[in-house]
Amino acid sequence: MRYYIGFDDTDTLDADRGTGKLARWFESCLPAHLHFLGAVRQQLPRLPEIPYTSHNSAACVMVAGPDATDDICGKLVDLASAHIADHFLPGSDPGLCVAAREPAIQPAFFDFAQRCTHAVVSQEAARTAARHMHLSDHGGSGDG
């Protein structure tokens, strides 16, 4: 089974590290039965209505492991939440999303993701789109 762990807005403008680095460091948090597949950067829109640190990007870590019936998503949420708490920078607005490839990521989610590439979306729309996965804020306004 493939799992996705999304990190956003964990840094500040004067930071010595960004969200991408925090995401890559997450590999060291994984237990032996989970295999780090990589981390990818996602470019988010740079619109005047959206506050961002420098480039407005998020990061997604991909992990392979046992089937979702083993509550791997719950374990990943716990690990990623602790990782954010250990490494985010004060003044940032960190957010976390964790999902299994199936059944959590539904076709409607891809429509939402496509809309995010060029438009401002609300927290309510994000929570609705992510209703089959974990989505949480870890400080600030919850916009990260």
Side-chain angles (χ1 to χ4, degrees), residues 18-135:
T19 299
K21 193 172 282 188
L22 179 140
R24 290 188 303 276
W25 290 346
F26 187 64
E27 179 180 10
S28 68
C29 300
L30 295 173
H33 68 287
L34 297 175
H35 177 68
F36 180 81
L37 298 173
V40 295
R41 176 186 181 275
Q42 286 114 3
Q43 180 62 52
L44 304 172
R46 295 180 67 180
L47 300 171
E49 313 89 293
I50 301 174
Y52 58 88
T53 305
S54 59
H55 302 292
N56 200 24
S57 63
C60 181
V61 171
M62 296 165 294
V63 174
D67 287 346
T69 56
D70 296 332
D71 193 29
I72 299 300
C73 282
K75 292 173 186 171
L76 287 169
V77 167
D78 292 344
L79 290 170
S81 295
H83 185 65
I84 289 171
D86 288 345
H87 298 289
F88 85 100
L89 293 168
S92 65
D93 195 13
L96 173 67
C97 186
V98 177
R101 176 65 180 104
E102 296 290 341
I105 304 174
Q106 302 291 317
F109 185 76
F110 292 107
D111 295 338
F112 171 79
Q114 182 63 34
R115 196 169 68 229
C116 292
T117 65
H118 61 276
V120 177
V121 297
S122 68
Q123 285 186 32
E124 181 180 343
R127 292 190 192 288
T128 298
R131 67 187 169 277
H132 299 294
M133 54 191 80
H134 172 87
L135 182 63

